[in-house]
Amino acid sequence: VIEYSHERQTPIFPGAMTPSEIVRAWQAGATAIKVFPASSLGANYFKEVRGPLPQIPLVAVGGVNENNLRDFLDAGAIGVG
């Protein structure tokens, strides 16, 4: 799917949870990675993953709401869903 998107110059945001999955999706050419389930993992998870992987844009998805979205953005997420 990532290759197909690249051929059509379309941004692609695959989902992942673990750091290994995040890196694999990024190496495959993802535009950004949707990390799911964000609310279960918590904003601190984003901060911890961003430490060794600062070059990979992450989007917090799943359970994000008006009460916690600032926490995810402050932890390094580039967007929420």
Side-chain angles (χ1 to χ4, degrees), residues 15-26 33-37 41 45 49 53 56 58:
M17 186 175 89
T18 68
S20 295
E21 293 170 343
I22 292 168
V23 169
R24 248 183 269 130
W26 182 248
I33 315 300
K34 295 184 300 184
V35 179
F36 178 87
L41 297 168
Y45 181 78
V49 169
L53 305 172
I56 302 178
L58 303 175

Side-chain angles (χ1 to χ4, degrees), residues 59-74:
V59 178
V61 178
V64 179
N65 58 50
E66 66 276 357
N67 297 318
N68 63 11
L69 83 95
R70 175 53 48 200
D71 296 334
F72 287 103
L73 295 174
D74 289 345

